[in-house]
Amino acid sequence: MLLHIHPENPQARNIQIVVDCLRGGGIIIYPTDTIYGIGCDIYNTEAIARIARIKKSDAKKARFSFICSALSHLSDYAKNVDTPIFRVLKASLPGPYTFILHASKQVPKQLKTKKDTVGIRIPDNKICHAIVTGLGHPIMSASLPMDGDVEYFTDPELMEEQFGNLVDIVIDGGIGNTVASTVIDCTSGAPELVREGAGEWVVG
């Protein structure tokens, strides 16, 4: 199902369709402030397993991250976030960054890595914000398993053609970007660049 949602003024009715889908164990492809992602409810183990199969990887090795709507989620899903690290997050989010933090006990075991960490994203994207706000907790996010032409990463209609039989909703929020988020590891006490992406990062 291809569902059009306005990127600047997301229609409440369509957002509710997405939220109901997620609550029912559905999988969505949706826009962020970087590339389109594939996601589900973080508490639905069957949906998480479906995404892992689509990506042909183990859930613990698939580099899932949590899409949040605000920094207030940090206290729920991350621990040991000291003041300097929090300042970095506050200055960078919402934005095109993924921050790797120590996972709290509320992170579902199925999504915890061997290092007991969690990736936190707060995209600067109104559709993401509306979905997470409507759901009441983060959605699990992963990159799309795509090879070939860049159009398949950016054009929702082509994503629907390729993945429509594997996911429940493909959200059309406009043409997506081609560069993923910048990944910063904060688990050692000092932010460390893991992957340079759409967000600028100055060391030091």
Side-chain angles (χ1 to χ4, degrees):
M1 172 185 180
L2 187 65
L3 182 66
H4 295 269
I5 298 182
H6 196 284
E8 292 301 320
N9 297 291
Q11 305 95 313
R13 181 173 60 87
N14 287 358
I15 292 295
Q16 191 59 50
I17 290 172
V18 175
V19 168
D20 289 344
C21 172
L22 292 170
R23 285 178 177 157
I27 294 175
I28 64 171
I29 291 175
Y30 63 96
T32 71
D33 53 355
T34 57
I35 59 177
Y36 269 73
I38 183 170
C40 67
D41 188 326
I42 60 171
Y43 295 115
N44 193 294
T45 55
E46 188 174 325
I48 293 167
R50 279 178 63 195
I51 291 179
R53 288 195 296 271
I54 291 171
K55 289 181 66 67
K56 298 179 181 178
S57 64
D58 182 89
K60 291 182 179 295
K61 300 177 181 177
R63 295 184 181 179
F64 294 144
S65 58
F66 283 15
I67 299 291
C68 303
S69 61
L71 280 172
S72 57
H73 283 133
L74 277 184
S75 60
D76 293 328
Y77 304 105
K79 63 181 182 181
N80 302 331
V81 181
D82 60 21
T83 300
I85 293 296
F86 183 80
R87 285 178 182 151
V88 171
L89 270 62
K90 190 173 182 179
S92 305
L93 300 172
Y97 301 90
T98 299
F99 287 96
I100 300 173
L101 302 165
H102 293 287
S104 75
K105 292 182 179 179
Q106 285 187 243
V107 173
K109 289 183 179 180
Q110 193 177 6
L111 294 176
K112 284 189 177 181
T113 65
K114 288 183 179 179
K115 294 182 179 179
D116 204 17
T117 59
V118 61
I120 297 291
R121 280 268 282 134
I122 305 178
D124 187 11
N125 180 279
K126 293 179 180 179
I127 294 174
C128 281
H129 186 273
I131 292 170
V132 175
T133 299
L135 186 62
H137 55 259
I139 57 175
M140 190 215 73
S141 179
S143 58
L144 289 170
M146 289 187 173
D147 297 312
D149 295 338
V150 69
E151 285 82 2
Y152 282 98
F153 286 92
T154 59
D155 189 330
E157 292 189 2
L158 294 179
M159 294 180 216
E160 164 66 16
E161 287 181 13
Q162 185 160 342
F163 292 100
N165 63 329
L166 298 175
V167 305
D168 299 282
I169 295 176
V170 176
I171 296 174
D172 182 354
I175 297 298
N177 294 324
T178 58
V179 182
S181 64
T182 293
V183 180
I184 309 295
D185 189 338
C186 297
T187 58
S188 67
E192 181 180 345
L193 179 65
V194 175
R195 180 185 73 194
E196 188 172 357
E200 292 186 8
W201 189 254
V202 178
V203 178

